[in-house]
Amino acid sequence: MRFGLDYAAGRPAPSAIRAAGYDFVVRYLSDGGPTLPGKLLTPAEADNLRAHGISIVSNWETTAARMLDGYGAGVTDAHSALAQVLRCGGRADRPIYFSADFDATPQQQVPINDYLNGAADVLGRANVGIYGGYWPVSRALDAGTATWAWQTVAWSGGNVDPRLALFQTGEQVTVDGVPCDVNQTDRADFGQWDVNTEEPDLTPEQDEVLRDIQTQLRGPGLSGWPQLGTDAQGHHRTVVDGLAAALTQIDELRTEISDLEATTAELRSELARVSGQHRWPFPFSLVEGPATAVADQLAKLEQLLPGVPLPGWGTGPNGDSGKPAQSGQAPVAAPSNAPSGN
């Protein structure tokens, strides 16, 4: 996107124009008279602008409704405009914009188109442009009476013709003490004198495709896409910004997943270690050794029990076995004749 100025009340220094951030100007070829002494582009001014790397675009404007005078006026003005361009070091193969500086009606389009036809007979149709609001500009482009369009925000109702080369935004700034109108363009060629037209890199169709791609990447008006959220400064993200933000979040997720995988591996290792030991948990592990030894001795004793008669398990006086019954209950003792207390 390039930004430029048009002005008529004076001639700001080219150094001040560059310092303010603008690199092209649209300059008038007609004399504004005593009320607008700075309207006419002079050879000295053109040389100074070029020396500071500022591109120049041509515009012809006398009175606001001059184009209503029709074909003959177009022929006369085109001759005068071309002569002024050449005096200022411009080129005959670059467009000149002619102004319809009023809210033109559809009925007034007829003389406007006649005026542009007169200019085309002098300059060639490829070098005829129109300045104005959305409707007269669009009607002239539709009719083919103009090839170039410089649209103003005024009298446009918020509409912007996609075929325009320059757009006057309605913003005004003061540069070097001179009030100026702000213009912008996203075209490589918007009618400036210093464009290289010998070997164009792109056809108009290719340029249109590239501008569409630029809009898709950077959003409407090159101001980002609301659907992608905002950056740290509160601006809508472009597609590239949104992709960068998504990649950052993916990297953060990858780090978190790696940490989780490491923790999981540690837990698995610890679980395998604990499962393989079969050890008693604390505090029972403190008596694990003695308890194991006692259990081993009891096991050995149990192996000896079948061959050792225990008390109450021998043969009684009457020859009966004193072994406990199969029910597991202890045998009932025979009544004793011994005195109580023996």
Side-chain angles (χ1 to χ4, degrees):
M1 184 72 72
R2 295 181 63 176
F3 297 90
L5 303 172
D6 69 274
Y7 44 87
R11 296 183 182 88
S15 58
I17 294 174
R18 290 307 298 256
Y22 304 97
D23 66 0
F24 74 87
V25 294
V26 185
R27 293 297 289 123
Y28 298 98
L29 306 173
S30 54
D31 191 352
T35 59
L36 293 173
K39 185 173 184 178
L40 177 66
L41 174 67
T42 66
E45 180 192 2
D47 289 342
N48 200 6
L49 288 167
R50 282 191 291 262
H52 285 81
I54 299 175
S55 300
I56 301 172
V57 180
S58 303
N59 174 263
W60 176 272
E61 179 182 296
T62 51
T63 59
R66 167 66 169 169
M67 297 179 76
L68 296 182
D69 292 340
Y71 179 87
V75 171
T76 298
D77 291 352
H79 278 299
S80 298
L82 180 59
Q84 181 66 7
V85 166
L86 297 178
R87 277 196 298 272
C88 292
R91 295 158 46 179
D93 64 340
R94 302 307 292 144
I96 299 174
Y97 294 91
F98 296 88
S99 292
D101 202 7
F102 64 101
D103 190 9
T105 66
Q107 292 74 24
Q108 291 171 320
Q109 193 69 36
V110 174
I112 289 174
N113 286 343
D114 287 342
Y115 178 99
L116 295 171
N117 286 332
D121 285 348
V122 177
L123 305 175
R125 184 70 65 188
N127 296 322
V128 173
I130 181 173
Y131 164 88
Y134 171 79
W135 285 279
V137 164
S138 296
R139 289 191 292 259
L141 292 175
D142 290 342
T145 54
T147 303
W148 300 79
W150 174 20
Q151 184 187 327
T152 176
V153 71
W155 315 303
S156 294
N159 299 289
V160 177
D161 195 297
R163 298 168 291 180
L164 61 85
L166 285 167
F167 184 66
Q168 190 181 64
T169 66
E171 178 186 1
Q172 290 190 328
V173 296
T174 299
V175 178
D176 197 22
V178 179
C180 306
D181 292 319
V182 175
N183 299 270
Q184 66 183 37
T185 181
D186 61 358
R187 298 289 186 96
D189 184 359
F190 47 92
Q192 70 272 38
W193 293 358
D194 59 354
V195 73
N196 182 8
T197 59
E198 294 181 1
E199 296 181 1
D201 295 330
L202 300 174
T203 65
E205 292 78 11
Q206 291 171 329
D207 183 63
E208 184 71 24
V209 170
L210 287 179
R211 288 191 293 112
D212 180 63
I213 293 173
Q214 185 183 42
T215 299
Q216 292 298 323
L217 289 174
R218 301 185 62 185
L222 308 182
S223 300
W225 291 99
Q227 300 94 320
L228 298 179
T230 57
D231 57 21
Q233 289 73 40
H235 302 141
H236 293 309
R237 290 192 180 105
T238 64
V239 171
V240 175
D241 294 336
L243 178 59
L247 290 175
T248 298
Q249 292 180 356
I250 290 173
D251 286 341
E252 293 174 353
L253 286 174
R254 282 176 175 167
T255 300
E256 293 178 1
I257 291 172
S258 296
D259 293 342
L260 182 59
E261 289 175 342
T263 301
T264 302
E266 292 175 358
L267 289 174
R268 285 177 177 171
S269 176
E270 182 65 16
L271 180 60
R273 185 185 67 81
V274 172
S275 299
Q277 289 179 353
H278 299 289
R279 297 188 63 85
W280 294 9
F282 183 85
F284 303 106
S285 60
L286 298 176
V287 296
E288 180 180 1
T292 302
V294 171
D296 291 341
Q297 294 302 320
L298 288 175
K300 292 178 181 180
L301 183 59
E302 289 175 354
Q303 292 176 0
L304 297 175
L305 286 179
V308 178
L310 297 178
W313 287 24
T315 302
N318 57 4
D320 295 334
S321 172
K323 189 175 182 179
Q326 293 296 326
S327 65
Q329 298 296 323
V332 179
S336 175
N337 296 323
S340 177
N342 288 340

